Amino acid sequence: MDYLLRILPPLFDGAGVTLGLFFVTLALSLPLGLALALARLSRWQALRHAVSSFIWLMRGTPLMLQLLFVYYALPFVPVVGVRLPDYPSAVVAFTLNYAAYFAEILRAGIQSIDRGQYEGAKALGMSYAQTMRRIVMPQVWRNTLPPLANETITLVKDTSLIYVLALNDLLRAARGIVQRDFSITPFLVAAVFYLLMTLVLTWVFQRLERRHAQHV
C-alpha cells in the first residue's frame, strides 16, 4: 500500500496530460470533422476531391507516423517550415487524424437522412442552414452516437502514442517508474486508470443514447 501511495502522484500527473490531450482533441476534431463532412458533400467538385484526399491520407497512414511527421518533418517542409513544440504537435496530429474519422461517420449520418425531409423543410421556407440545424443534425447526432462513442473511446487509448514525443503522459509515467523500480505494478495501475476512463465514457454515451431514444 505504501508503494502504491508513492507512485500514485506521478501517475495522476500523467493522467492529467492524457485527459488534457483527450479533451482538447475532442473539442477541436468534432467541429472540424463536421466541417469536413459537409465539404465532402459539397457541390464543388474540387472541394470534394481535396477533402476526400485529405481523409484518405489521414485514415490511410498510422497516427504515430503523423505525430512524428508533424514534430520532426514539418519544419523541413518547403513554404510551411513550422517547428511546433511537443504538446502542440500532438494536438495538431490528433485533431487532424480524428477529424478525418469523425468526418466519415458524420458524412454517412447526413447521407442517411431521407431527401424528402430536405424538400419538406424547403417547402416550409427554411434555408439550408436552418434545415441542417433544426432537422438534419439532431437526427445525425442520434444515429451516429454508437460509432462516435467507439472512436472517442479509442481516442483515450491512442493518447498513449504521445510517448514518442517524450510527453509525460500516463503510459510514459508508468514506464519510467517500472524502469526505476523493476516492478510491473505501475503498469497495472495505469491499466486501471485507462479502464476507469473508458468506463466513464461508456456510461456517458449509454446515457446519451437512452436519452435520444426517448425522443424518437
Side-chain angles (χ1 to χ4, degrees):
M1 182 59 70
D2 290 339
Y3 181 70
L4 283 176
L5 292 177
R6 287 202 310 271
I7 67 174
L8 278 178
L11 291 179
F12 272 117
D13 291 340
V17 175
T18 293
L19 288 173
L21 178 61
F22 167 78
F23 284 116
V24 170
T25 300
L26 196 61
L28 295 176
S29 60
L30 264 176
L32 179 57
L34 177 58
L36 291 172
L38 294 175
R40 185 93 155 71
L41 300 172
S42 171
R43 297 176 182 175
W44 298 338
Q45 188 174 10
L47 180 60
R48 288 202 313 271
H49 287 324
V51 172
S52 297
S53 298
F54 169 79
I55 292 174
W56 168 75
L57 178 65
M58 290 294 104
R59 298 177 70 201
T61 55
L63 176 54
M64 183 178 290
L65 177 61
Q66 295 165 20
L67 278 167
L68 295 173
F69 180 86
V70 172
Y71 187 67
Y72 291 107
L74 197 60
F76 302 102
V77 175
V79 181
V80 182
V82 176
R83 182 179 295 278
L84 296 174
D86 46 14
Y87 190 81
S89 295
V91 170
V92 169
F94 270 82
T95 298
L96 295 179
N97 180 276
Y98 271 84
Y101 283 93
F102 287 145
E104 284 299 275
I105 293 172
L106 294 172
R107 176 193 60 79
I110 293 171
Q111 289 184 314
S112 69
I113 305 301
D114 187 83
R115 296 302 304 177
Q117 298 194 38
Y118 291 91
E119 296 170 2
K122 187 176 181 180
L124 293 173
M126 291 186 182
S127 65
Y128 176 78
Q130 290 174 323
T131 302
M132 293 298 294
R133 186 176 69 254
R134 298 180 182 179
I135 297 177
V136 176
M137 289 314 300
Q139 298 179 73
V140 169
W141 291 121
R142 184 183 67 235
N143 295 340
T144 58
L145 263 178
L148 287 175
N150 288 338
E151 286 299 323
T152 304
I153 291 172
T154 301
L155 172 58
V156 172
K157 295 177 288 184
D158 277 351
T159 55
S160 61
L161 294 176
I162 62 174
Y163 82 90
V164 299
L165 303 185
L167 283 167
N168 197 34
D169 69 313
L170 177 57
L171 182 60
R172 186 177 181 85
R175 188 182 66 173
I177 300 173
V178 167
Q179 291 174 336
R180 183 194 69 193
D181 299 341
F182 299 100
S183 169
I184 66 167
T185 301
F187 280 153
L188 297 177
V189 176
V192 172
F193 272 76
Y194 282 113
L195 287 171
L196 288 175
M197 286 186 277
T198 56
L199 179 64
V200 170
L201 285 173
T202 301
W203 176 81
V204 169
F205 277 104
Q206 286 176 345
R207 289 290 299 270
L208 287 173
E209 288 180 33
R210 285 198 295 268
R211 181 179 177 182
H212 281 291
Q214 294 173 356
H215 295 85
V216 175

